Structures are given as C-alpha cells and as structure tokens.
Amino acid sequence: MPNTMKNQAAIVGIGQTEFSKDSGRTEMRLAVECISSALDDAGLTPKDVDGMCVFTMENNPEIQVQRNLGGGELRFFARTHYGGGAACATVHHAAMAVATGSADVVVCYRAMNERSGRRFGSGVQDRKQEASAEGSQYAMYSPFGLTTPGSWVAMYTQRYMHQYGATSEDLGRVAVSSRAYAAKNPEAWFYERPITLEDHQNSRWIVEPLHLLDCCQESDGGVAVVITSAERAKDLKQKPVMLKGSGQGAGDQQHMMTSYYRPDITGLPELGLAIREAYSSAGVGPQDIQAGVLYDAFSPFVLITLEEMGIVKPGEAADFIKDGHLDPGGRLPSNTNGGQLGEAYIHGMNGVNEGVRLIRGTSSNQPGDVDNVLVTGGSGVPTSALVLGQP
Amino acid sequence: MPNTMKNQAAIVGIGQTEFSKDSGRTEMRLAVECISSALDDAGLTPKDVDGMCVFTMENNPEIQVQRNLGGGELRFFARTHYGGGAACATVHHAAMAVATGSADVVVCYRAMNERSGRRFGSGVQDRKQEASAEGSQYAMYSPFGLTTPGSWVAMYTQRYMHQYGATSEDLGRVAVSSRAYAAKNPEAWFYERPITLEDHQNSRWIVEPLHLLDCCQESDGGVAVVITSAERAKDLKQKPVMLKGSGQGAGDQQHMMTSYYRPDITGLPELGLAIREAYSSAGVGPQDIQAGVLYDAFSPFVLITLEEMGIVKPGEAADFIKDGHLDPGGRLPSNTNGGQLGEAYIHGMNGVNEGVRLIRGTSSNQPGDVDNVLVTGGSGVPTSALVLGQP
C-alpha cells in the first residue's frame, strides 16, 4: 500500500550558497546561509521553523543550526542514513511530519566542505577497523582494493556493459549532456565550459571503466528546502511545489554501494522500490513524468535509473540517451542544472532544488511547462525518490 | 497544534536480550536476537517488517540487521540524533510512518555492548578535535573538565540543589526506589540486591554532587519494539498497546547535555516540550497518567522530569518522592523495571518495553491497572516522550 500523503505537503522555499571548491568558511556558516536563503524565498523566518530533517552524515546538528539561525523550539527532527540516499528522504520525512501535524514548517538541509574539507572520493580507507557492523561493512571488499565510491560503482558498471553491450561512449553521452546543461547554468561549476565526447574519452581513468568525466564533482556548498502543509503554502510568497509522491527503498540483500551478492547486479532494485513508492502515492507512472533529476554521482547509474523508472526497459537506456532524450526537446530532459556531474555535488540536495525550479518554471534550462518531475536520491545505497508537481 | 496520530498506531511486540556487563557476542547478534524476540511476541516474521527506526548512535545499520534477520525490502527508515533523546522518538517516527501509510510494520531497536565495548561514561575526551559544529560542541566545556555525562549533569544538579534546597538524600531516594523495583525484576542487574539510603550516601563520588549510586549502569544488551497500525494490531497475538500521544522537543538555546547559557538551568524545557506534545496529541494531562518510565541516566533528572510533567511544581519533586509517590501504592509508580539505575542502561529503549508491560499488566512490579503511562527519552538533550495506553 502506498503512502497517503499525496498533495498534503509542499515545498515553499529553496536556498543555496554558491558552489565552489573552497568555500573559505565553516560548514555551519554554509548551513545558516542556505537555510536563511530558503526561508527568505518562502517568506518565512527562523521562528516559524519547528522541524528539521537531515542526513546522518550532516556535520551541522539541528540544534546548533537552529541556535545560529536565531530559531526557537523544535518539535520534530529526523535523520536518514546511507549517504546521498537520504536526499529525497529528508523531504519525505518532512512531509510525514506535516501530514501528521508533528510539525508545521520543516527545513531540510545539507551543507558541507566536501572538496576543501574531507573529500568523499577518497573513500573509506582511513576508517578504523572496528568490530561493529557499521565499521566492518566494507571488510569484504577492501582487501581487493574496493575502497572508494568509484571502485564500487565500477564493478556494477563492468557487469552492465558486459550484459547489455553498453560502451564507454554511452556513459560519455550522459557526461556530455550534463555539462551542456551546466554550461548554461551560472550556478554550475561547468558554467560556460561544455565538454565533448572526445574530452570524455580522453579524460583519465579513475577506475576502469569510469573516466574522470564520468564522476561527479567534489564540492563545497549548502542547499536547503522548506516544507509546510498544502494549506499554509497557499498564503506564502512562492507558488507551492506540491509533494505528490515520495518514498524510500532498501532492497533484498542490500549493502552500501556493494550489493554484489544479488543474483543480478545490473539494476538498482532499492531505487526501483523508492520510485514505485513515489509513483504510487502520486498516482502516476513513468508516462506522466516530463523531466528528471536523476542522481548522477557516476554517469552509469543514470542509465540504470532510467530503467528503474520504467522509462525504458533494462538494457535500453544507452539507445534512449543516444537519441538525445535527456537533452532539450527530448522525451525526458534531465539534470537540467548540470547535475552533480556539472553543477555541484551536494549529496543530491541540489537536485531537489532543481526539481522545484522545474515545476516553478525557473530552471536555467527550463524545458517548457513541467507537470511532474521525478527526483531521485543516491544510487547503489538505500535511497529515496520524489514526484514534485504543479498545485 | 499537536499531532493527529492519537490511537492510529500500536506497539504489538516487545523483545530484549538479557542485560549484562559482558554479552560475549556482537552488537549485531544482540540486535537480531531482540528483534526476533519482539517479532515472535507480536506473531510476526522478519518478512512482515518494512520499516525501521533507530538512533544515529546505533552501530547496527538497518540494512545489515534486515539481512541478518532474513527480512526483505524496507520502504521506511529514519534515525534520531542526540543519544538517549532518541528513545521515544523512534516510536514517534514509526507511528508517523504507519499513520501515513509509509510503512506497515516498523521495528525500533537499540543494541549495544556499552559496558564490554565502548563505555559511554568515559565521555568525549577521546573524540578528535574537529573544525565542525558536531566535533567542537563540547569545546567550551572540555577545558574545565566537563567531558563526561556525569560532569555535565552535576552542573545542573548543583544549581537545582542550591535553588530549591534539595539534598543528596533527596537524590538518593530515587536511587533507592529504583533498586527496590529492580530487586524484584529478574531481568534487572540489581535483582535481589536492594540498596539503602545509607548505601547511597556511602557510595563514592563520581562528580559531586553525584554519588556512584546516582548514576545509571553501563550495560550490554538489546531491546526492540514492533509498531503497526491500530487496525492490523487487532489481529495480532498480543493485546495492542496504543500509542495515544507522542512528541519530540528541542528547546531554546539547546546544547547537548550542556544548555548552561539559558537564564535558568533548573529545568529541562526540551523535555517539557516533548511531554506537552505527547499529552496534547493524546488529549490527556498529568492527572491522567498512572505510572511513569522516567529517563534516569542520573537520579536528579528524575526530580526535574516530575516537574516538567506537571505532576508537581518546580522545586517540589523532592517532597513528592520523600512521600513515597514513586513507590508501590504511590501517586506515580515509576521505573517499575528498576529503571536505568537498576535494570540496565539500554539508552531508554528498555523503558519503552516497561511502558508496554505496564499497559499489558505484566510488569514485575505491576501497580494494578494502568490506563496511561508516560515514557520519556533522554534528559538534558533534545528528546521525546510517549503516552501509551489501553486500547
């Protein structure tokens, strides 16, 4: 049974800092800046906020952020584990709070110095060897050198390419499409810097079969969204963006980025589950989605995401992309902000903001009117998805 | 506005391992054992579970627990930060999921080797000095030796005793009451080992004004509860324990255990907020509560909890306790399992189990029929509370 929250909550404000490689300030300051900006956008103040939803990986605790914002009491706070898989889950949990009256105004945020501080791309090799399930979860893979996100995704990618005959150029077309959008988005790192397929092919290996340009950026920055009830949303500054559907998913035999013991590793069943949850609560299917913000930490997972969405059948995403369907005028313009490949890697939360802009009609690469956009959280991890739509 | 979840969800199963000082097995095994036990109690199987709620401090990730249980997909998972403040929040979040259809059967659990493994009592002195809000939150206190939970609570206690004239014996009466209950609970560490007020007074200082016997235990063990909808609960094995009310709270100028910059530090306003949220969603007040499970990591916070509950006015808890009102036949029999002082310290989750037993009528120290019990999460931190009641 899907959740019953269709259109009960709305995103009424979005905010973000600049995206950079060296913010020059603390993660706390980034958090306060992006939240202040989102509240301004909504026409609300810190005193209106009574709930917060964040990642377990967030370094800025809700209470410290609230103190620095100048806010007051909180009566709801929840977190989600599993890295970028939390991106859409923060909004899902906020909607649950609003729908049940557990909070009136919930802020979701992610702020990090992920380039100038600790770089995620460096992986888990610095983690302590601990006799705990959490600490030892990569123990089966580390001895083989699988210690970084790139290495974990490469394993899935090799198998996908082998099974369906996809090529490095097929991955490259995702990389090129994203940077083409980014080139027209002044907020994006790749602004005015489009790349060619040749650039992609010539970029160095990170982990075969992943070239540098198949990998998302490491970025400093903060992103925040504000959620309230559909009713309260009517009186606020912006046209509300309705939360039509939302869901989370963890699959059978789920590991963090390394679910290699499944019978098949060419899909992302946890993502498929989260998407189906979002579709069914919204009462929509793939045919109703006009644009996508598809979590692109690595280009190959964009192909698999299209398949898990039901936009194409398994193995058919490469042809779909080759036909230009992610690009302007295509069937599913996607990652129109440049994605995490081209705009910035803020753990998927910048994708939520772009989803909101697509419904508002304010994307730098707005593909006409959009009734429904699908936004997805992290790929290869327990994850989450949203269907955002018009009021 | 309170939440609208009254009686929408129920606790239908509870489980726990033995509580010890050296479990002799992994935290993961403790988790699987206590959850299996809770599912058996409910008449459900791991395949029925589609949601999980835990602490951010939990070392056993939901997906790894689910693999080891033999469960399948999850479509809801949420965590709560702030140590024991999460205890009742796990149940609150589970109720939100059930009420919105985001999950059907949610397991909340906490499993840890907190005595034979890393001891919480040792505090934060081993933490890295980090340039992050999370990492540096105790930086203002550490230089003064305030590095352990005992030291943080001692500061509140000194002020409370100064302001209201409470004495060490007043704290001791809480310690004695808990151990008296524990002495009759075969699951408790203090089973058959009651203490006297003299024992309390003679026990060594941990941090003045806290004696050893004012401090909860360090324990190994696991506790789990199972939540589902009121409707599904009707068909299960146990009489359902209704979730009448629930709430969370973080206060103005909230710090972790160290909210010393408030105008007054003799109260726990975040706890008061969580309790008011729980009361108002249940439509009850202090007069409707017949028993309490009051988070007792340290005895003095039990006094303040009674005041935040509205059972007595500020400064009057000592007399209330001296009159025997926490004891059998008193106004508010509390911590009838022995509490965390006498049974075990499982971060408040063993208190949720005792709350369920009080409604079922199966406590080792059952005080007759109980219509409503209040259970509280961690004190001095952003926290949570539940009103559990009869169907």
Side-chain angles (χ1 to χ4, degrees), chain A residues 1 3-4 59 61-64 67 72-75 77 79 82 100 133-134 248 250 252 254 277, chain B residues 1 3-4 59 61-64 67 72-75 77 79 82 93 100 133-134 248 250 252 254 277:
Chain A
M1 194 182 66
N3 76 56
T4 56
N59 287 328
E62 301 93 324
I63 55 172
Q64 290 173 270
R67 291 205 314 268
E73 294 177 333
L74 294 173
R75 59 193 191 109
F77 32 98
R79 295 195 175 196
Y82 310 113
T100 58
E134 182 79 54
Q248 293 179 263
D252 283 322
Q254 180 75 58
E277 288 283 315
Chain B
M1 194 181 68
N3 77 56
T4 57
N59 287 328
E62 301 92 324
I63 55 173
Q64 289 173 268
R67 292 205 313 269
E73 294 176 333
L74 294 173
R75 60 195 191 107
F77 32 98
R79 294 195 177 196
Y82 310 114
H93 292 167
T100 58
E134 181 79 55
Q248 293 179 263
D252 282 324
Q254 179 76 59
E277 288 282 315

Side-chain angles (χ1 to χ4, degrees), chain B residues 350-375:
Chain B
N350 51 322
V352 177
N353 275 13
E354 180 66 5
V356 169
R357 283 187 293 260
L358 283 164
I359 298 299
R360 288 183 177 177
T362 58
S363 168
S364 296
N365 295 288
Q366 184 67 31
D369 288 346
V370 173
D371 285 334
N372 296 301
V373 57
L374 182 83
V375 185

Side-chain angles (χ1 to χ4, degrees), chain B residues 23-364:
Chain B
S23 73
R25 50 208 199 279
T26 63
E27 294 181 324
M28 175 56 75
R29 182 155 163 186
L30 296 176
V32 169
E33 287 180 15
C34 67
I35 297 170
S36 297
S37 166
L39 290 169
D40 284 348
D41 185 53
L44 293 168
T45 74
K47 296 291 185 200
D48 293 308
V49 176
D50 63 352
M52 287 186 167
C53 288
V54 296
F55 295 46
T56 54
M57 288 186 76
E58 178 63 34
N59 287 328
N60 301 294
E62 301 92 324
I63 55 173
Q64 289 173 268
V65 169
Q66 186 73 332
R67 292 205 313 269
N68 284 296
L69 275 173
E73 294 176 333
L74 294 173
R75 60 195 191 107
F76 171 69
F77 32 98
R79 294 195 177 196
T80 309
H81 207 45
Y82 310 114
C88 297
T90 61
V91 177
H92 180 54
H93 292 167
M96 289 169 51
V98 165
T100 58
S102 300
D104 291 322
V105 174
V106 182
V107 169
C108 308
Y109 62 90
R110 183 79 178 105
M112 56 187 186
N113 286 326
E114 191 255 338
R115 180 61 175 75
S116 67
R118 191 186 169 281
R119 299 171 63 171
F120 288 5
S122 62
V124 298
Q125 49 200 309
D126 295 334
R127 288 197 194 168
K128 287 181 287 185
Q129 296 268 351
E130 279 184 331
S132 73
E134 181 79 55
S136 65
Q137 61 187 314
Y138 296 106
M140 287 185 281
Y141 314 105
S142 297
F144 304 97
L146 297 176
T147 58
T148 63
S151 67
W152 303 323
V153 173
M155 180 80 97
Y156 288 96
T157 307
Q158 283 284 28
R159 179 69 201 173
Y160 182 90
M161 292 168 78
H162 172 79
Q163 182 148 333
Y164 295 121
T167 65
S168 175
E169 286 83 358
D170 291 325
L171 311 184
R173 278 180 267 274
V174 172
V176 170
S177 173
S178 291
R179 269 73 170 208
Y181 284 126
K184 297 183 182 171
N185 171 10
E187 305 303 317
W189 183 253
F190 277 80
Y191 180 53
E192 297 184 334
R193 292 192 288 164
I195 64 165
T196 65
L197 195 55
E198 195 177 14
D199 292 334
H200 171 269
Q201 289 293 300
N202 290 335
S203 70
R204 66 186 168 91
W205 293 120
I206 297 300
V207 184
E208 278 191 72
L210 301 176
H211 286 280
L212 174 67
L213 289 170
D214 288 310
C215 304
C216 71
Q217 302 175 58
E218 296 175 309
S219 307
D220 289 7
V223 171
V225 303
V226 183
I227 288 97
T228 190
S229 66
E231 188 165 320
R232 183 158 183 183
K234 287 179 197 162
D235 303 325
L236 296 177
K237 212 161 106 184
Q238 305 290 344
K239 179 178 81 168
V241 170
M242 304 311 295
L243 192 63
K244 290 195 171 177
S246 56
Q248 293 179 263
D252 282 324
Q253 292 301 314
Q254 179 76 59
H255 290 239
M256 269 300 282
M257 305 288 294
T258 53
S259 302
Y260 304 143
Y261 292 93
R262 291 172 172 164
D264 174 66
I265 64 166
T266 61
L268 294 167
E270 57 286 336
L271 179 61
L273 172 58
I275 293 171
R276 287 193 304 279
E277 288 282 315
Y279 282 166
S280 65
S281 55
V284 303
Q287 69 283 359
D288 302 305
I289 306 295
Q290 290 91 36
V293 185
L294 315 180
Y295 198 95
D296 58 342
F298 298 95
S299 62
F301 277 168
V302 173
L303 280 75
I304 302 179
T305 300
L306 291 164
E307 298 169 6
E308 294 291 348
M309 284 178 72
I311 291 285
V312 293
K313 295 204 177 76
E316 296 183 356
D319 285 344
F320 180 85
I321 294 167
K322 197 171 183 178
D323 290 342
H325 286 307
L326 300 184
D327 305 324
R331 160 69 187 88
L332 192 79
S334 290
N335 298 345
T336 43
N337 58 336
Q340 301 189 106
L341 293 166
E343 185 187 56
Y345 181 73
I346 312 294
H347 237 162
M349 287 298 285
N350 51 322
V352 177
N353 275 13
E354 180 66 5
V356 169
R357 283 187 293 260
L358 283 164
I359 298 299
R360 288 183 177 177
T362 58
S363 168
S364 296

